[in-house]
Amino acid sequence: QKEVEQNSGPLSVPEGAIASLNCTYSDRGSQSFFWYRQYSGKSPELIMSIYSNGDKEDGRFTAQLNKASQYVSLLIRDSQPSDSATYLCAVNWGYGQNFVFGPGTRLSVLP
Amino acid sequence: DAGITQSPRHKVTETGTPVTLRCHQTENHRYMYWYRQDPGHGLRLIHYSYGVKDTDKGEVSDGYSVSRSKTEDFLLTLESATSSQTSVYFCAISEGKETQYFGPGTRLLVL
């Protein structure tokens, strides 16, 4: 069974610091990886996708993928209180049941 | 949420009554999904569709049925609602193995 794991948190960081969110997955056959942000009471929204090993940067966000270690992370630089949300990691081994979400990590950025 | 709507957005019903939730997309994406989200469980896949009249079960399909008679509409039916089906329901769409995009969600309370 394909599984995606994340620390549930809460992860608390001061404003302006770097927040580091981690995700591990169970199956090496994974094809693509996604980070979603979900504010309380709202639907998940896509932050970044990453498909190959290494780093991918988009503004203050950097996704890092290491397929050999089955590990994907999200770094948020210069964290802002508006970044306080739950971050969901998703791994795609295909469609349907092969698109699996982790339980999410709750991030709190303290002013 | 652009291109995906869910109706109703909120519903209160009684145990034993049938309930139908509707997801409508304007993106012409092939794949559509129904998830439920509960505290401590993250997003769990109920059913998904890979084309008109083509559907399959997800992780938590018991007590739910779906139908897709048109590309743009995916219906989720609770044949006889139970209190354990109180949840937030999200519809999502994707084009193949790519990113899933989520609707705004439906909050269902079964009394």
Side-chain angles (χ1 to χ4, degrees):
Chain A
Q1 184 172 349
K2 297 175 173 60
E3 294 182 344
V4 178
E5 297 184 350
Q6 300 177 253
N7 289 329
S8 61
L11 172 66
S12 295
V13 299
E15 184 174 357
I18 296 176
S20 177
L21 305 165
N22 303 316
C23 171
T24 58
Y25 56 95
S26 62
D27 193 304
R28 292 182 180 272
S30 54
Q31 300 185 18
S32 47
F33 307 84
F34 306 88
W35 283 100
Y36 287 80
R37 177 177 61 200
Q38 185 175 25
Y39 292 113
S40 180
K42 301 296 186 181
S43 59
E45 55 178 333
L46 179 70
I47 299 175
M48 293 189 69
S49 58
I50 185 167
Y51 301 95
S52 55
N53 280 327
D55 295 358
K56 179 181 178 182
E57 185 174 320
D58 183 0
R60 295 186 297 111
F61 298 96
T62 299
Q64 299 175 318
L65 175 60
N66 184 326
K67 289 188 176 182
S69 299
Q70 296 174 230
Y71 175 94
V72 58
S73 65
L74 179 70
L75 300 178
I76 306 174
R77 290 182 299 281
D78 188 24
S79 296
Q80 301 298 308
S82 59
D83 294 326
S84 297
T86 296
Y87 290 80
L88 306 174
C89 172
V91 179
N92 189 348
W93 288 274
Y95 61 86
Q97 297 206 59
N98 292 315
F99 198 116
V100 180
F101 287 83
T105 297
R106 189 156 56 93
L107 173 67
S108 178
V109 181
L110 306 175
Chain B
D1 297 354
I4 312 170
T5 57
Q6 293 184 231
S7 58
R9 294 293 313 279
H10 302 271
K11 185 168 183 68
V12 180
T13 191
E14 294 186 349
T15 298
T17 60
V19 176
T20 295
L21 309 182
R22 180 181 183 238
C23 177
H24 178 78
Q25 62 149 327
T26 59
E27 306 296 326
N28 201 36
H29 280 12
R30 178 180 176 186
Y31 299 94
M32 299 185 75
Y33 310 79
W34 277 108
Y35 291 91
R36 60 178 291 174
Q37 188 173 41
D38 306 287
H41 290 280
L43 285 163
R44 292 184 290 175
L45 182 66
I46 304 171
H47 282 278
Y48 64 98
S49 169
Y50 46 97
V52 173
K53 294 188 178 8
D54 292 323
T55 65
D56 206 346
K57 296 179 179 180
E59 175 189 0
V60 290
S61 59
D62 287 348
Y64 301 94
S65 63
V66 290
S67 65
R68 191 171 179 198
S69 58
K70 298 186 292 185
T71 298
E72 58 265 35
D73 290 324
F74 192 31
L75 303 180
L76 176 70
T77 297
L78 291 66
E79 301 290 349
S80 178
T82 67
S83 58
S84 65
Q85 294 176 311
T86 291
S87 187
V88 179
Y89 291 86
F90 287 104
C91 172
I93 65 173
S94 72
E95 191 54 50
K97 302 174 184 178
E98 301 305 318
T99 309
Q100 289 192 7
Y101 297 96
F102 286 83
T106 294
R107 291 185 176 274
L108 176 66
L109 175 61
V110 183
L111 299 175

